[in-house]
Structures are given as structure tokens and as C-alpha cells.
Amino acid sequence: MRGIVYKSTGSWYQVKAEDGEIYNCRIKGKFRLKGIKSTNPVAVGDRVKFDLEEGLEDVKGVIKEIEDRDNYIIRKSVNLSKQTHIIASNIDQAFLLVTLNNPPTFTTFIDRFLVTAEAYHIKTVLLFNKIDIYNEDELAEIKYLAALYREIGYECLGISAMTGKNIDKVKKMMTGKTSMISGHSGTGKSTLINALEPTLDLKTSKISVQSKQGQHTTTFAEMYDLSFDARIIDTPGIKGFGVVEIEKEELANYFPEFFALKDQCKYYNCLHLEEPKCAVKDALEDGSVAWSRYKSYLQIIKGEDEQQYRIDNYEEDQ
């Protein structure tokens, strides 16, 4: 039988078969021995082949093959730094929820997410959530950030999952596609999904007053079929986003504004660090490339870990 993985709990997987039935499946042990360094060899969104086994109580499935992935989003595993974690696969687009505060989403986090999405050819839309609670100065800051990323070529939209502002525009973007939603805990992922499809009634949680951080309400990635011909993958809140599987020589290719200047550098293999006549560094000086983006680039190329990059490069520019 063939199907798509809709939920992963680490040991069991919910697979929706071609006939529409949902089966609880496990994997054969050999999947873990194929050189896959990921902590989760099977990810939500995977197309799989599986066999059914008749048990004493119900029918279970055994996943025997993962079909080739169109793409996937990957990051460093939180607990095992040498391993990776595949967040989701076979995605048409990703939505990254950004909040100015409660919790803050720093530009370093945004840039690391965007680099990974670029590397795996996944379109990303930045959704600036909670715009109903910002004051005039905060709204101006959001508009500045949105303008910065729009200039690079990313689609940006201000929304309020709580009041429903611009949710109709998000629905339009999602129709006919499989979308992944990501962001820090507390940015409003579950609230947004409830706004898109109220019948799902996903659990939401308030921000921790003490830490200003969100509390995890989604424990495992899970995909939902929506009533308006769309699928959405809800993911657990991410504290940090470690970039993996990208060579230093390739990194600048995943910053679109750097890539556009690549052929203007004196050296074809310019890393935009200390090399003379570097078009990217010239663009920094004339303001056509944002310093926050260059600082994110430097942190990634130097391999600084997530504790070091939980600072806001944008704030440093001000």
C-alpha cells in the first residue's frame, strides 16, 4: 500500500493511505542503518509504501520504503548536535511566523530558516503575526523589517491570528498546496491554524510571563487536511535553527541578494570575508545590502552555535 505520513511520534507514524484510511505504522529497523544521520528517518509529508499486519486488537502497518523526497526542511538536532532532524518533507511552501516580542523573533533566526529553505528550494512567506497588539513604534519596526525582506524578494504579510486580519489572504496562498508552518513557541502557530480551520480546535497556550517565551503546545509535527483544498503541517516550536549540510563555498548562494552580486566580485570563489574588491561588501557600504543579513551570514559561515546567534542583528544596526 502507498500513503503519506501525517504524524510522527518518533516510534509510530500515522499514515493516510490512498483509500483515505489512517493506519498506525512502525518502521523496520534497517531504516536506521542506511547511513541516515537524522534522528527521524521518516518525516511528516513523506510518501511511503507499507504492508498491513493483522494484530489481536487492530490492524497495524509496517513502513517498508520511503519514496524519493521532492524537498525537506532540516536542522541540527537539539539534543544530539552531530545529528540532524528533518522537520517535514514534500512541502510546496513554508510560512515562518515572526513576532516582534512575546516572544521576540530575531533576524538571525529568520535568516537561518530562510537559508535552509533556499537550499532545499522551498518558497518561504514571512507572516508577521500579532499586529493587533503593537503600538505605533512597534508597527513601524515591523514595516521596516517587512520592507527589508521584500526588497530581497520574500513575500511578507502582516496578520493577526487572533482577530482574523488577513487570514483570507493566507488561505488564498495555501489553496491547492501543502504548507508548513514554523516559528518559535508562542508566535501563534496553533492559533493561526485554528483561524484557518476552526473545527480543528488545536490546543493553544499563553506566553510565559517570566521568560517571555512561548510554551510548547505542539509536541510532534502533524499534517492536517483543510476544508479549502489545502494541507498544513504544524511543527513544534523551534528555539534555535542550526544550519546543516551547506558548504561554506555554497552559503552565499542561499542569500539571494548576495548571489545576485556574485559575478561582480573580483574572485569567482569570493567568500565575502577579507577578499579585495568584493561586491557584497561594497553593497554593505552603500546600503543596498542589509548589515543584519551580512552578520547572519558571518555567524553561519563561522559555525557559531545557537546560543551565540540568539541575538538580534537588526537591533545592532539601529
Side-chain angles (χ1 to χ4, degrees), residues 23 32 56 69 144 177 186 189 213 232 265 307 313:
Y23 295 95
R32 301 186 184 279
L56 294 175
R69 294 168 173 144
Y144 176 86
K177 297 176 181 176
K189 296 185 299 296
Q213 298 295 316
I232 193 162
C265 290
Q307 294 306 314
N313 285 336

Side-chain angles (χ1 to χ4, degrees), residues 194-256:
N194 285 339
L196 292 164
E197 195 72 78
T199 55
L200 287 176
D201 195 25
L202 300 187
K203 181 183 176 185
T204 59
S205 183
K206 293 181 180 179
I207 296 290
S208 166
V209 175
Q210 188 174 12
S211 67
K212 300 293 185 185
Q213 298 295 316
Q215 299 167 10
H216 294 286
T217 52
T218 303
T219 310
F220 303 103
E222 183 167 5
M223 182 153 59
Y224 299 96
D225 291 323
L226 306 181
S227 60
F228 52 95
D229 183 30
R231 290 190 294 202
I232 193 162
I233 300 173
D234 187 18
T235 61
I238 301 171
K239 285 185 178 178
F241 204 94
V243 174
V244 291
E245 296 187 354
I246 296 177
E247 298 295 328
K248 284 184 178 182
E249 293 76 16
E250 299 174 357
L251 179 60
N253 296 343
Y254 306 125
F255 283 75

Side-chain angles (χ1 to χ4, degrees), residues 49-88:
K49 293 179 181 177
F50 64 101
D51 293 328
L52 294 180
E53 293 181 338
E54 295 284 347
L56 294 175
E57 297 180 2
D58 55 6
V59 178
K60 303 287 187 185
V62 178
I63 296 172
K64 61 180 183 178
E65 184 181 334
I66 305 170
E67 297 184 11
D68 289 343
R69 294 168 173 144
D70 297 333
N71 56 39
Y72 54 91
I73 282 276
I74 191 170
R75 70 185 183 108
K76 284 182 183 175
S77 173
V78 174
N79 299 320
L80 301 162
S81 61
K82 291 183 180 179
Q83 289 195 304
T84 59
H85 178 78
I86 299 171
I87 300 173

Side-chain angles (χ1 to χ4, degrees), residues 228-298:
F228 52 95
D229 183 30
R231 290 190 294 202
I232 193 162
I233 300 173
D234 187 18
T235 61
I238 301 171
K239 285 185 178 178
F241 204 94
V243 174
V244 291
E245 296 187 354
I246 296 177
E247 298 295 328
K248 284 184 178 182
E249 293 76 16
E250 299 174 357
L251 179 60
N253 296 343
Y254 306 125
F255 283 75
E257 70 274 43
F258 293 12
F259 183 72
L261 297 169
K262 187 176 183 179
D263 61 353
Q264 297 176 37
C265 290
K266 180 178 180 180
Y267 299 103
Y268 75 93
N269 59 348
C270 184
L271 291 178
H272 319 302
L273 298 174
E274 305 299 331
E275 299 91 341
K277 296 185 179 178
C278 168
V280 169
K281 289 194 290 184
D282 288 344
L284 280 172
E285 295 302 329
D286 68 26
S288 54
V289 165
W291 278 98
S292 62
R293 293 278 288 170
Y294 185 67
K295 289 171 187 171
S296 291
Y297 171 79
L298 290 181

